[in-house]
């Protein structure tokens, strides 16, 4: 019996004129944020599949490398010029003419920022690769103030290429991935030293995602492996749960669905791959895009997945919808 062919996208969003570098769903509204390499931020209605707002938020020379939906009415953008901007999107989803605050990190890199929830009891903090590219910095967005530096004493790690901040058991942790394929787990109560360090990859770690239970995550790299790992912040352990070997390496983006059931990856081979997060089984290979896939993201209600590519398009997918 032959397998069912992979589904087509539920919709394709066209309008960007350059590579779509990052995507992010609004936490409660039917809205998707997309950013491109020419500096444009677009806001899309995911029900009507149309652009509701567009703005040039970073220079065309530096572009947008990362987007994060901070709260109901705020979105954070990061440019390759080191600038992180905090925008008010208002009730009508129109982007403010000027950012509420701008952080100049003086770091020029491709490491996407990570929003940290509940650090100091609010969502106004980000983790990002610093001016010294091997250092992770924690910034207060509202005050444009650097709070903490996570500096690895192991200089052979190279640049920080991926970072993910999360709250576990009331405390904030950060996982950072480096140029040499290693990863470090940090507890912000003791920023001087990582809790643990592991090396699951032979090439730079390009993407990281931690599940909502903070019990594990997935990493993608320039090598031919996707690694699902178990995480215990109380004991500081980080262990391989499942290793998936690809025919063609290069994973730009990873995302775990909020219900913890499936994980998706964005590949250099133009493919979006979907796996069962608990078992590690391959579920689908989605073949819509015609160039490198840069990012994948799930909506908070788990009903939509979005993928973005260097082919300037964003695809919306309705796959394995939750049963409730």
């Amino acid at each position: 019996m032959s397998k069912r062919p992979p589904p087509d996208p539920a919709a394709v969003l066209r309008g960007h004129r350059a590579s779509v570098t990052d995507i992010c769903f609004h936490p409660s509204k039917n809205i998707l944020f997309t950013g491109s390499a020419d500096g444009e931020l677009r806001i899309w209605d995911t029900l009507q599949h149309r652009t509701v707002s567009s703005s040039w938020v970073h220079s065309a020379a530096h572009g947008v490398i990362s987007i994060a939906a901070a709260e109901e009415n705020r979105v954070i953008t990061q440019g390759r010029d080191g600038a992180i901007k905090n925008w008010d999107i208002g009730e009508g989803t129109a982007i403010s003419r000027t950012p509420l605050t701008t952080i100049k990190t003086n770091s020029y890199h491709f490491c996407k920022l990570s929003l940290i929830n509940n650090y100091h009891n609010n969502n106004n903090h980000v983790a990002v690769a610093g001016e010294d590219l091997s250092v992770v910095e924690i910034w207060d967005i509202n005050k444009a103030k650097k709070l903490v530096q996570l500096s690895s004493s192991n200089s052979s790690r190279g640049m920080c290429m991926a970072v993910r901040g999360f709250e576990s058991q009331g405390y904030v942790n950060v996982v950072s991935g480096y140029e040499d394929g290693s990863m470090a787990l940090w507890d912000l109560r003791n920023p001087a030293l990582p809790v643990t360090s592991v090396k699951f990859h032979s090439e730079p770690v390009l993407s990281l995602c931690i599940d909502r239970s903070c019990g594990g995550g997935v990493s993608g790299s320039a090598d031919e492996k996707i690694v699902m790992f178990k995480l215990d912040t109380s004991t500081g352990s980080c262990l391989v749960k499942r290793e998936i070997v690809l025919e063609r390496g290069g994973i730009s983006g990873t995302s775990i669905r909020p219900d913890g059931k499936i994980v998706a990856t964005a590949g250099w081979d133009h493919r979006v791959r979907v796996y069962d997060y608990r078992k590690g089984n391959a579920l689908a290979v989605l073949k819509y895009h015609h160039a490198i896939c840069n990012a994948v993201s799930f909506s908070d209600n788990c009903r939509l997945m979005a993928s973005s590519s260097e082919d300037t398009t964003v695809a919306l997918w309705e796959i394995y919808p939750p049963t409730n």
Side-chain angles (χ1 to χ4, degrees):
M1 197 167 91
S2 63
K3 290 183 179 179
R4 284 186 300 174
D8 292 325
V12 177
L13 308 180
R14 294 181 174 89
H16 280 291
R17 292 174 283 276
S19 173
V20 185
T21 49
D22 204 17
I23 47 181
C24 175
F25 283 94
H26 189 279
S28 59
K29 298 176 183 175
N30 295 309
I31 287 172
L32 179 72
F33 303 102
T34 62
S36 56
D38 59 358
E40 186 183 25
L41 170 67
R42 280 183 178 249
I43 302 178
W44 304 83
D45 182 318
T46 57
L47 295 178
Q48 299 181 5
H49 307 147
R50 64 181 184 88
T51 301
V52 292
S53 183
S54 171
S55 185
W56 300 97
V57 294
H58 293 272
S59 71
H62 297 109
V64 176
I65 64 169
S66 184
I67 303 173
E71 290 170 353
E72 270 308 292
N73 298 319
R74 289 195 303 117
V75 64
I76 297 161
T77 62
Q78 174 191 16
R80 209 172 80 80
D81 55 357
I84 297 171
K85 299 181 181 181
N86 180 19
W87 303 90
D88 180 14
I89 56 170
E91 292 300 322
T93 66
I95 305 160
S96 54
R97 286 184 176 274
T98 55
L100 300 170
T101 51
T102 299
I103 296 170
K104 296 191 185 301
T105 64
N106 295 320
S107 55
Y108 299 82
H109 56 76
F110 293 98
C111 178
K112 295 180 177 182
L113 64 78
S114 173
L115 190 67
I116 301 177
N117 293 326
N118 295 330
Y119 184 49
H120 291 182
N121 299 314
N122 64 43
N123 298 342
N124 299 321
H125 300 88
V126 293
V128 65
E131 187 171 1
D132 176 344
L133 294 179
S134 66
V135 173
V136 176
E137 297 176 350
I138 312 299
W139 287 77
D140 182 318
I141 301 165
N142 286 354
K143 297 176 182 175
K145 182 180 176 183
K146 190 194 304 181
L147 302 178
V148 182
Q149 284 197 165
L150 308 175
S151 179
S152 173
S153 58
N154 186 349
S155 59
S156 65
R157 290 185 195 276
M159 291 189 292
C160 177
M161 306 289 286
V163 65
R164 188 64 60 180
F166 59 99
E167 184 200 14
S168 176
Q169 301 172 355
Y171 301 107
V172 173
N173 297 267
V174 170
V175 175
S176 49
Y178 297 92
E179 200 174 359
D180 70 343
S182 67
M183 302 191 319
L185 170 66
W186 304 82
D187 184 327
L188 292 199
R189 291 171 295 176
N190 181 21
L193 286 170
V195 178
T196 190
S197 296
V198 293
K199 189 171 181 181
F200 299 152
H201 296 280
S202 59
E203 296 287 339
V205 178
L206 301 178
S207 57
L208 283 167
C209 190
I210 305 297
D211 63 41
R212 292 232 171 153
S213 72
C214 303
V218 61
S219 59
S221 165
D223 66 17
E224 70 290 343
K225 287 191 297 190
I226 298 165
V227 176
M228 297 181 188
F229 54 87
K230 291 187 288 188
L231 199 59
D232 187 334
T233 56
S234 61
T235 62
S237 73
C238 184
L239 302 169
V240 174
K241 182 173 75 174
R242 183 73 186 263
E243 200 174 85
I244 298 162
V245 179
L246 304 170
E247 286 183 25
R248 287 171 290 204
I251 296 295
S252 306
T254 52
S255 183
I256 301 167
R257 205 165 73 174
D259 62 5
K261 290 185 176 178
I262 62 175
V263 59
T265 65
W268 290 359
D269 63 354
H270 314 172
R271 306 287 188 257
V272 174
R273 288 177 166 77
V274 183
Y275 299 91
D276 182 316
Y277 179 55
R278 290 167 188 165
K279 298 176 182 176
N281 301 341
L283 299 177
V285 179
L286 308 176
K287 301 178 180 178
Y288 171 74
H289 292 293
H290 305 294
I292 287 173
C293 291
N294 292 320
V296 279
S297 181
F298 288 99
S299 62
D300 256 43
N301 64 10
C302 302
R303 297 192 177 281
L304 273 182
M305 182 183 79
S307 59
S308 70
S309 168
E310 289 190 0
D311 66 11
T312 75
T313 68
V314 176
L316 294 180
W317 308 86
E318 294 173 353
I319 53 167
Y320 304 101
T323 50
N324 56 342

